[in-house]
Amino acid sequence: MTTAGPEPAPLLQVSGLRVEFPTDERLVTAVDGIDLSIRPNEVHCLVGESGSGKSQTARAALGLLDPPGRITDGQIRYRLESGQELDLAQLKARGKQMRHIRGGEIGMIFQEPARSLSPMHTIGFQIAEAMRLHRGLSKPAAWEAAVEALKEVRIPRPELRAKAYPFELSGGMRQRAMIAIALAGQPRLLIADEPTTALDVTTQAQILRLLRRIQAERDMAILFITHDLGVVADMADEVSVMRRGEIVERQPVHSLFAAPQHEYTRMLLEATPKLREGRRAEASSSALIDQDSQGHGPAEKTKPLVEVKGLTKTFTLKSGVLGRRRRHLHAVDGVDLEILPGETLGLVGESGCGKSTLAKCLLRVEKPSAGSITHRLGNEQNQQDRAGQDVATAPEAELRGYRQRMRMVFQDPFGSLNPRMTVHDILAEPLRGDGPVARERLVELLELVGLEPEHLDRYPHAFSGGQRQRIGIARAIATDPAVLLADEAVSALDVSVRSQILDLLGELQDSRGLSYLFISHDMSTVEHLADRVAVMYLGRMVETAPTEALFADPKHPYTETLLSAVPIADPVRQRARERIEISGELPDPTEKPEGCPFRNRCRFAQEICALEAPELREVQDAEGNPTGRRSACHFAEELNLMGVQR
């Protein structure tokens, strides 16, 4: 935001704020004497990693600190429309004046709408109650206003959705409903605390556009709390960077990205992958399909370690009286896939598209309903895996060797380790079938992932999130696998820790010849790590291509929308780029549209798209030569789709 003339008086002025949490062991200082200023009509982004104090700052302003948290020093001055200033730090958290401020003057959007919305009341009722509380409307008028609010936040069929309960809405719709509640009292300041972290990239783009539009229409200020520098580049006028309870830097957004002053800010920027700004060194040549200088090929194809054909997994959902109503959910719907030796294959798509179910089928945690999974994972030490067998139909007793060579790294470093087991027992568990496990072997595993021998005798609670994920990786490589399935393995980590884990995965791949199936919704991370990318939509594979080619020149409209939705951590590039808007929500997977599954959201859809589902096929160039790419679009050769420009 740029304005002429003198700078307006701050709408919210935080001075010397200190927030402390007394515990039995020690006094924890969550916010350590910070100063923060938010001007009218400004989008101010508060950036930092987990535990930096961002959320506690916002909660302190609204009297929402969880006990035993308390403000021990400082002021939080809020300027009313009349010009009067109130020190929010002095107001009683449950007092009448604070209740008016909370919602009537300052609205708040939380990270998890599912936890913030009451499961016992309809969406319309909850918005209407906020309307009655802050605007004094009658019940009929409040209900009409609630329906209008749902319309304003772009929820389709608002009259019907107002009567729905939160569990009946998608994550994106629940977040839109939360925005409607936060705006019910017509606040002059909106605090958005990580409002898009749990959302898909396409839904995130829709929510960010919605917030920008509402902010402009209402002349409203926004305090936007996030750890995502791509979102900062997209949204911010001003940026404050927070670390360990302190604000270490504040600058206008363009200045901060162009010339960060603090070493911590520089570290955050350097650790954030940026789309189309290079990738790590190429993996072993055995990983890749050889191509000529024009990107055509393949000239010679490496035999895949794992080959999937026509893989399908169907779940039967029961509902109604005595479960008599049955619907079929095709979570994975006829997927073809190959994992090559030494490569990283990125698997991307929105939540619910079938990525994780596909991974479970590959591990035979879920038994496929149809299709085949053949592999070449045998080694000289262990031939129990019977290379060439169809894993999809193999008896459970014959899968032990295969599962030793195909291992999993999970998303949640906190939930994936047994809290009652020491690191020694966690690492030894997958090896016990081979006899006693030497401590030296476990020490070697720890050192491979950058941990110390003394860590063997500790329990998971003694480690940070990044250290726990390193333990999870050590457990996964303990059996000397050929393939690792990494299911959102870095999505729960801070940006600096994420960078360290990605570097570790690259080092292990180079030293041990590993192949990865890297499942993620973070396209910038996938571009940084992957050699090839496979894109899933509603249980089907819609495009596969070498990473460079896919990001520069997508061959399926869904891939184009995914790339367009990813915010680039560069305010100049982000705000200058053309956006491809995607309409509507992901369809109900139990009621897929006939023909192409993407046609209801595709701007290029034609009559044939409703009649015939396109197969995943080889894409040809203008001369009719194969390109080494595959797309499930009738018009893959004809469409000129937009990639991410350097």
Side-chain angles (χ1 to χ4, degrees), residues 11 78-86 97 100-101 105 188:
L11 181 63
Y78 178 77
R79 183 180 293 273
L80 298 171
E81 200 161 9
S82 64
Q84 177 190 0
E85 283 192 354
L86 292 176
Q97 205 166 21
H100 167 71
I101 293 292
E105 291 283 343
R188 297 163 62 225

Side-chain angles (χ1 to χ4, degrees), residues 140-312:
W143 182 263
E144 290 181 11
V147 172
E148 187 62 30
L150 290 176
K151 183 178 180 181
E152 184 183 16
V153 297
R154 300 291 198 268
I155 287 186
R157 296 183 292 173
E159 298 86 356
L160 178 63
R161 297 296 187 185
K163 300 174 184 177
Y165 290 87
F167 71 87
E168 297 178 289
L169 303 181
S170 68
M173 284 193 182
R174 284 197 295 266
Q175 195 61 291
R176 289 170 187 265
M178 269 298 305
I179 294 172
I181 293 173
L183 298 177
Q186 299 177 324
R188 297 163 62 225
L189 171 63
L190 179 67
I191 299 176
D193 187 3
E194 299 275 10
T196 61
T197 297
L199 303 178
D200 291 310
V201 64
T202 51
T203 307
Q204 171 180 272
Q206 293 173 339
I207 295 297
L208 294 180
R209 278 198 301 271
L210 172 64
L211 288 174
R212 281 197 301 269
R213 178 181 62 79
I214 292 174
Q215 188 257 343
E217 290 174 356
R218 296 196 177 198
D219 292 330
M220 181 176 63
I222 297 179
L223 174 60
F224 198 106
I225 299 170
T226 184
H227 67 275
D228 189 331
L229 289 171
V231 172
V232 174
D234 192 27
M235 291 290 292
D237 299 313
E238 195 83 7
V239 185
S240 292
V241 181
M242 201 164 182
R243 183 192 189 200
R244 296 178 183 173
E246 299 179 348
I247 290 180
V248 298
E249 181 167 356
R250 173 180 171 175
Q251 286 204 68
V253 63
H254 286 87
S255 301
L256 182 125
F257 278 83
Q261 299 300 303
H262 196 277
E263 61 180 0
Y264 178 68
T265 309
R266 291 194 291 270
M267 182 278 294
L268 288 179
L269 288 169
E270 289 168 3
T272 301
K274 297 181 179 66
L275 285 177
R276 309 282 291 143
E277 286 202 356
R279 298 164 51 217
R280 70 176 183 85
E282 293 293 335
S284 166
S285 60
S286 66
L288 304 175
I289 297 174
D290 296 325
Q291 292 177 335
D292 66 25
S293 59
Q294 282 75 42
H296 303 316
E300 181 181 347
K301 190 172 181 180
T302 305
K303 289 184 178 180
L305 286 176
V306 180
E307 188 171 10
V308 176
K309 289 187 177 180
L311 193 71
T312 298

Side-chain angles (χ1 to χ4, degrees), residues 10-35:
L11 181 63
L12 187 75
Q13 181 80 49
V14 177
S15 304
L17 179 65
R18 180 181 294 271
V19 175
E20 296 178 339
F21 286 79
T23 69
D24 293 337
E25 300 168 350
R26 62 189 179 96
L27 186 67
V28 177
T29 301
V31 181
D32 194 4
I34 69 165
D35 297 333

Side-chain angles (χ1 to χ4, degrees), residues 442-639:
L442 304 184
V443 167
E444 181 183 352
L445 283 171
L446 280 185
E447 290 176 340
L448 271 173
V449 299
L451 295 176
E452 302 297 328
E454 56 266 26
H455 291 154
L456 271 180
D457 299 314
R458 298 182 187 175
Y459 289 87
H461 69 82
F463 298 94
S464 67
Q467 288 175 317
R468 293 186 203 195
Q469 198 61 301
R470 288 174 184 269
I471 295 168
I473 293 170
R475 176 179 59 185
I477 65 173
T479 60
D480 191 26
V483 179
L484 283 189
L485 306 186
D487 188 1
E488 298 282 6
V490 297
S491 64
L493 303 175
D494 286 321
V495 62
S496 59
V497 180
R498 181 185 309 170
S499 177
Q500 295 169 11
I501 296 299
L502 292 177
D503 288 344
L504 171 62
L505 291 174
E507 292 165 5
L508 290 173
Q509 184 172 54
D510 294 339
S511 64
R512 300 172 75 90
L514 288 167
S515 294
Y516 293 129
L517 177 62
F518 190 84
I519 301 171
S520 180
H521 67 275
D522 185 339
M523 297 292 284
S524 56
T525 298
V526 167
E527 187 197 23
H528 179 75
L529 195 67
D531 301 303
R532 289 191 302 130
V533 181
V535 183
M536 279 189 82
Y537 184 80
L538 274 185
R540 299 183 185 179
M541 206 63 72
V542 297
E543 182 167 4
T544 62
T547 304
E548 178 78 11
L550 182 132
F551 278 78
D553 183 26
K555 294 299 181 185
H556 193 283
Y558 177 62
T559 308
E560 180 190 48
T561 62
L562 279 181
L563 295 176
S564 175
V566 180
I568 300 173
D570 179 335
V572 177
R573 292 177 62 206
Q574 174 63 15
R575 299 180 192 205
R577 68 195 293 216
E578 183 180 344
R579 313 291 178 89
I580 306 298
E581 293 198 20
I582 188 170
S583 61
E585 301 277 331
L586 195 69
D588 184 339
T590 65
E591 299 177 5
K592 294 181 183 179
E594 296 293 326
C596 175
F598 187 61
R599 68 178 179 83
N600 290 343
R601 306 171 81 188
C602 181
R603 60 195 179 112
F604 301 108
Q606 299 184 27
E607 185 177 355
I608 189 175
C609 303
L611 300 175
E612 184 180 328
E615 297 294 325
L616 185 68
R617 60 180 178 82
E618 184 84 15
V619 177
Q620 298 180 336
D621 64 14
E623 287 75 38
N625 300 313
T627 62
R629 309 181 58 174
R630 291 187 289 176
S631 172
C633 177
H634 293 299
F635 310 107
E637 288 86 359
E638 302 169 29
L639 299 178

Side-chain angles (χ1 to χ4, degrees), residues 316-328 588 590-591:
T316 300
L317 306 180
K318 299 179 181 180
S319 60
V321 179
L322 301 178
R324 291 177 179 172
R325 184 186 174 197
R326 299 192 175 193
R327 296 181 297 165
H328 298 290
D588 184 339
T590 65
E591 299 177 5

Side-chain angles (χ1 to χ4, degrees), residues 104-127:
E105 291 283 343
I106 304 175
M108 186 153 184
I109 308 169
F110 297 94
Q111 178 176 348
E112 291 285 352
R115 296 181 183 178
S116 305
L117 296 170
S118 168
M120 306 300 294
H121 299 98
T122 65
I123 292 295
F125 175 86
Q126 295 180 62
I127 300 173

